[in-house]
């Protein structure tokens, strides 16, 4: 049964449908990807953005160091150099057709931000200021670091996010703040809308849409030490799995080299881009052993492994699980001008004045290279390969286009989110111009979401959500972190099954509907356990080391067997894999050295 009139959806016993909304475009997530698509599409169509936090608190605002573009404002640079660096940084798993689009359109995207009013830092001549970042080089890697990261001091994501929000308000984009997406409505290869829970007031809402876009961000909260905000629980990935769609390359998870010790709070790569040193417990700049030509400005996966190796081999500071990043030699004037937020964070969270003392850091869970498979226009692929889901799009960290492959270069994330959010917006406009009719809305559209909330509010087990979440984070960090091997991954597979069983026996104390954070966290935990099983299964299956996926029992990259993308589906207890080739156009794989 389907319904022409969405208002004909009726309440069920217990928690019911509060209301049904209709918009041409419904975007889940108010980060850079979601809001950039909203800016693009709102000039012509009715756009709504659903976010579980207030839009300007989206995690894109936490990005610090910059957004990459070969502007050549202060020195020579070319998009071909940026392309080579991104492909090499991806350990040759990135799709080169998508990467070429990324680097060619980057200058346009950054200059558009400038015209939107983004307050970039400036050179003395008034141009957009650029700084060095890890893995970004001159002359196809033959030269030294290049000035490519456009920045707004060390609050670049914050500046970009607020700029887009202002334009969305001007364009009359409708925001539904503090709504948690609960299910995706996909039937017969057509996306028909989403179902979301009103966190503030309680109640389930159906959003009937001609097009839906996911910009739901990453999932760093599955790790104990992480730079990610509390909201980054990967909800969009779980919703996609439940809709019968695949995820791509989930085994590739990036650990940022420099998070505040025990806090995980990001110490931007801009610290090293501006000239910071990494120092071990013996007072050595140890990166000379691991990347002699690039030192601290090697790619993130390599730097993270180097730091963790120093710690594992007893060369942490005072034998502890951290090393130092030292910027004292930069001087107070430069630190306060270029890195004011880092100075503030080090003082507030560690009571360290980085003008006078080095900052204790350790690798921190940071970014997901994998996600929802899309084509270069942001269309989500039903089979992960060629067939789009009609009316469904994704961009940003939740998506996998794939421009990052096995490892992302710093400053390419703000670029990817903005650029492919923009492309999604343009793609949505083309689709809506040709598809004016509303897709039919199934009468049971909200049933799965209603059943989930009904169960969460009424389950009467003995397990606490917070305890299961803590155990999940510790297990993922210890057994599927920077270094992995078969034995620990197999153990973790069994551990996750036990956590899944414990989750079935949870109880939440708050039975109300308004501002029920217990309900929200229980739902998020279910999502995390579900896609963590894919991360671990993919890591166990991929018997090689490539990019951020480092197997101690398979330490070499294996292009003959594993130069391919992983596609994974989950149905019940079963995980099914398929694979697709990497798109290679200009640069053939070679040994990755720095």
């Amino acid at each position: 049964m389907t319904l022409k009139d969405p208002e004909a959806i009726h309440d069920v016993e217990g928690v019911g449908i509060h209301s049904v909304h209709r918009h041409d475009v419904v975007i889940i997530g108010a980060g850079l990807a979601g809001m950039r698509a909203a800016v693009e599409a709102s000039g012509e169509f009715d756009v709504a953005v659903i976010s579980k936090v207030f839009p300007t608190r989206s995690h894109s605002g936490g990005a610090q160091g910059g957004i990459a573009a070969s502007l050549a404002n202060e020195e020579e640079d070319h998009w071909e150099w940026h392309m080579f660096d991104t492909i090499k940084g991806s350990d040759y798993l990135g799709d080169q057709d998508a990467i070429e689009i990324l680097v060619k359109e980057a200058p346009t995207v950054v200059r558009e931000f400038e015209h939107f009013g983004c307050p970039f830092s400036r050179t003395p001549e008034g141009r957009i200021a650029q700084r060095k970042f890890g893995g970004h080089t001159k002359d196809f890697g033959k030269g030294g670091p290049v000035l490519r990261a456009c920045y707004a001091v060390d609050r670049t994501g914050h500046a970009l996010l607020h700029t887009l929000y202002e334009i969305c308000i001007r364009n009359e984009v409708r925001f539904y703040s503090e709504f948690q997406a609960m299910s995706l409505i996909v039937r017969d290869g057509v996306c028909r809308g989403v179902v979301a829970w009103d966190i503030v007031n309680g109640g389930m809402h159906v959003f009937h849409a001609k097009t839906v876009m996911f910009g739901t961000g990453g999932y760093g909260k599955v790790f104990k030490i992480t730079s990610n905000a509390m909201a980054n629980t990967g909800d969009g990935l779980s919703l996609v799995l439940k809709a019968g769609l695949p995820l791509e390359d989930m085994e590739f998870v990036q650990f940022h080299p420099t998070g505040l010790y025990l806090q995980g709070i990001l110490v931007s790569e801009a610290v090293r881009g501006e000239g910071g040193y990494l120092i071990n417990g013996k007072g050595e700049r140890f990166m000379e052993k691991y990347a002699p030509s690039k030192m601290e400005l090697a790619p993130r996966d390599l730097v993270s492994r180097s730091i963790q190796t120093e710690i594992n081999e007893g060369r942490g500071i005072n034998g502890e699980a951290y090393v130092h990043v030292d910027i004292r030699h930069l001087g107070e004037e430069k630190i306060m001008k270029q890195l004011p937020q880092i100075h503030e964070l080090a003082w507030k969270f560690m009571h360290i004045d980085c003008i006078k003392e080095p900052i204790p850091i350790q690798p921190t869970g940071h970014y997901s290279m994998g996600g929802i498979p899309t084509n270069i226009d942001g269309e989500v692929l039903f089979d992960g390969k060629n067939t789009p889901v009609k009316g469904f799009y994704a961009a940003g960290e939740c998506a996998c286009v794939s421009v990052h492959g096995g490892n992302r270069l710093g400053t390419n994330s703000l670029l990817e989110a903005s650029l492919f959010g923009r492309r999604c917006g343009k793609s949505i406009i083309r689709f809506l111009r040709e598809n004016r009719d509303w897709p039919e809305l199934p009468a049971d559209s909200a049933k799965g979401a209603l059943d989930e909330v009904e169960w969460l509010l009424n389950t009467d087990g003995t397990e606490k959500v917070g305890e299961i979440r803590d155990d999940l984070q510790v297990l993922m960090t210890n057994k599927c972190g920077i270094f992995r091997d078969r034995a620990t991954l197999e153990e973790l597979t069994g551990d996750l099954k036990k956590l899944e069983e414990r989750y079935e026996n949870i109880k939440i104390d708050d039975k109300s509907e308004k501002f029920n954070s217990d309900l929200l966290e229980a739902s998020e935990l279910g999502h995390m356990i579900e896609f963590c099983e894919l991360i671990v299964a993919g890591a166990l299956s991929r018997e090689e080391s490539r990019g951020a996926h480092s197997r101690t029992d398979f330490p070499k990259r294996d292009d003959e067997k594993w130069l391919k993308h992983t596609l994974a589906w989950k149905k019940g207890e079963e995980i099914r894999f398929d694979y697709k080739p990497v798109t290679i156009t200009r640069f053939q794989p070679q040994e990755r050295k720095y």
Side-chain angles (χ1 to χ4, degrees):
M1 175 184 178
T2 57
L3 300 171
K4 297 282 187 180
D5 178 11
E7 297 295 347
I9 294 183
H10 298 293
D11 288 357
V12 296
E13 184 179 352
V15 181
I17 298 296
H18 183 275
S19 59
V20 181
H21 311 267
R22 269 187 161 185
H23 297 279
D24 295 324
V25 186
V26 171
I27 296 169
I28 314 298
L32 283 188
M35 282 210 276
R36 186 60 188 85
V39 165
E40 199 69 28
S42 59
E44 192 167 336
F45 295 99
D46 170 32
V47 178
V49 176
I50 300 171
S51 175
K52 72 176 178 181
V53 297
F54 190 78
T56 51
R57 293 187 66 197
S58 298
H59 196 57
S60 295
Q64 297 168 340
I67 177 171
S70 55
L71 299 183
N73 276 342
E74 298 181 65
E75 61 178 33
E76 185 181 10
D77 195 9
H78 303 279
W79 67 261
E80 293 96 337
W81 295 358
H82 189 185
M83 182 176 180
F84 173 80
D85 290 339
T86 301
I87 292 166
K88 182 180 179 182
S90 79
D91 220 345
Y92 295 91
L93 195 71
D95 287 322
Q96 296 185 20
D97 56 343
I99 292 172
E100 185 165 340
I101 288 169
L102 180 82
V103 299
K104 276 185 172 179
E105 295 184 5
T108 298
V109 167
V110 169
R111 291 190 177 109
E112 279 182 344
F113 271 119
E114 182 181 29
H115 296 162
F116 289 160
C118 181
F120 285 110
S121 297
R122 298 285 171 175
T123 67
E125 297 76 27
R127 300 187 180 97
I128 295 172
Q130 295 177 281
R131 60 170 45 125
K132 299 171 184 176
F133 246 72
H136 293 275
T137 64
K138 301 173 184 176
D139 193 20
F140 305 102
K142 298 172 187 174
V146 69
L147 298 171
R148 189 177 290 153
C150 311
Y151 64 92
V153 286
D154 54 356
R155 300 183 180 95
T156 310
H158 178 90
L160 298 177
L161 190 69
H162 280 254
T163 299
L164 290 181
Y165 181 64
E166 291 170 1
I167 297 174
C168 285
I169 295 299
R170 185 184 70 191
N171 288 5
E172 298 183 339
V173 171
R174 173 69 185 272
F175 283 95
Y176 294 86
S177 298
E178 297 182 290
F179 276 72
Q180 166 76 336
M182 299 296 293
S183 67
L184 175 68
I185 308 169
V186 174
R187 304 290 169 86
D188 304 318
V190 177
C191 187
R192 304 163 189 270
V194 294
V195 182
W197 177 259
D198 182 348
I199 298 169
V200 176
N201 301 299
M204 201 73 75
H205 294 243
V206 175
F207 292 83
H208 188 199
K210 297 176 185 176
T211 57
V212 171
M213 178 193 156
F214 271 18
T216 54
Y219 53 77
K221 289 306 292 182
V222 302
F223 296 99
K224 188 66 176 175
I225 302 295
T226 177
S227 65
N228 282 210
M230 290 294 292
N232 283 28
T233 52
D235 307 306
L237 304 183
S238 178
L239 268 54
V240 163
L241 285 175
K242 289 177 180 176
L245 305 177
L247 297 177
E248 180 176 346
D249 288 343
M250 290 293 288
E251 60 267 37
F252 292 100
V253 182
Q254 181 175 85
F255 281 73
H256 193 286
T258 54
L260 284 178
Y261 177 52
L262 296 181
Q263 308 285 335
I265 297 167
L266 189 63
V267 177
S268 172
E269 192 169 325
V271 167
R272 288 172 284 130
E274 295 290 351
Y277 301 151
L278 289 171
I279 306 294
N280 66 13
K282 299 174 109 179
E284 301 167 332
R285 282 183 71 188
F286 57 85
M287 284 307 300
E288 186 175 6
K289 292 186 288 185
Y290 303 98
S293 67
K294 299 296 182 283
M295 296 291 285
E296 285 87 359
L297 290 180
R300 288 178 176 176
D301 61 325
L302 198 161
V303 180
S304 290
R305 285 194 297 274
S306 303
I307 293 172
Q308 195 61 50
T309 298
E310 292 295 301
I311 292 169
N312 291 351
E313 294 181 0
R315 292 186 295 277
I317 305 299
N318 298 321
E320 299 293 331
Y322 67 91
V323 297
H324 280 147
V325 60
D326 193 349
I327 57 174
R328 292 174 293 177
H329 57 284
L330 300 182
E332 180 176 359
E333 182 180 355
K334 185 170 185 177
I335 290 170
M336 297 310 295
K337 181 181 178 181
Q338 303 289 66
L339 304 167
Q341 183 176 224
I342 297 304
H343 181 270
E344 180 183 6
L345 291 172
W347 178 255
K348 284 185 175 179
F349 289 93
M350 303 293 291
H351 208 63
I352 282 174
D353 181 355
C354 62
I355 296 169
K356 301 175 181 177
E357 305 168 84
I359 305 170
I361 56 92
Q362 67 183 132
T364 182
H366 186 60
Y367 190 86
S368 51
M369 272 72 73
I372 306 165
T374 73
N375 61 23
I376 57 174
D377 292 316
E379 296 176 300
V380 175
L381 301 173
F382 187 85
D383 57 356
K385 297 177 181 179
N386 303 306
T387 308
V389 179
K390 186 176 179 181
F392 187 30
Y393 303 82
E397 191 172 352
C398 73
C400 185
V401 62
S402 152
V403 291
H404 306 309
N407 172 65
R408 175 177 69 78
L409 293 187
T411 71
N412 271 353
S413 59
L414 292 183
L415 175 61
E416 180 211 14
S418 304
L419 189 150
F420 283 97
R422 177 179 183 264
R423 288 183 72 88
C424 274
K426 292 181 181 296
S427 185
I428 285 168
I429 289 171
R430 291 193 298 270
F431 177 87
L432 289 175
R433 285 173 179 171
E434 298 174 1
N435 296 270
R436 298 284 179 175
D437 295 333
W438 291 87
E440 291 185 331
L441 193 63
D444 62 349
S445 295
K447 186 178 186 306
L450 289 168
D451 289 347
E452 179 182 350
V453 171
E454 193 77 17
W455 177 75
L456 289 171
L457 288 174
N458 291 289
T459 184
D460 192 29
T462 58
E463 293 281 357
K464 294 185 180 297
V465 169
E467 291 177 358
I468 300 175
R469 183 184 61 238
D470 288 347
D471 289 346
L472 172 67
Q473 292 169 332
V474 170
L475 287 166
M476 288 295 293
T477 299
N478 292 342
K479 297 185 179 183
C480 194
I482 294 173
F483 295 110
R484 305 161 173 183
D485 62 66
R486 173 173 292 281
T488 52
L489 289 170
E490 287 178 342
E491 283 179 15
L492 184 53
T493 301
D495 294 333
L496 290 177
K497 293 297 181 187
K498 292 175 184 175
L499 291 181
E500 197 170 23
E501 292 169 4
R502 289 173 61 190
Y503 181 75
E504 294 298 317
N505 190 37
I506 63 169
K507 177 182 181 180
I508 61 175
D509 296 323
D510 188 350
K511 303 298 183 181
S512 66
E513 293 187 12
K514 294 185 177 182
F515 273 119
N516 190 336
S517 59
D518 284 355
L519 174 64
L520 177 62
E521 290 176 8
S523 176
E524 291 171 335
L525 176 60
H527 296 159
M528 290 194 288
I529 293 172
E530 186 163 37
F531 65 75
C532 276
E533 293 181 3
L534 269 66
I535 296 172
V536 176
L540 189 55
S541 175
R542 184 174 284 271
E543 294 181 335
E544 66 160 355
S545 290
R546 183 186 300 270
H549 171 67
S550 183
R551 288 279 299 263
T552 56
D553 47 351
F554 293 94
K556 300 293 186 182
R557 194 179 82 194
D558 186 349
D559 287 347
E560 183 177 343
K561 293 182 180 178
W562 289 106
L563 187 61
K564 58 188 179 182
H565 296 293
T566 304
L567 297 170
W569 289 257
K570 188 172 188 290
K571 186 175 182 181
E573 296 297 310
E574 180 188 359
I575 295 174
R576 177 171 66 88
F577 287 117
D578 194 6
Y579 300 92
K580 65 178 180 180
V582 176
T583 301
I584 297 172
T585 56
R586 295 174 58 122
F587 298 102
Q588 294 298 314
Q590 55 183 274
E591 187 179 358
R592 186 168 170 248
K593 293 182 178 180
Y594 291 96

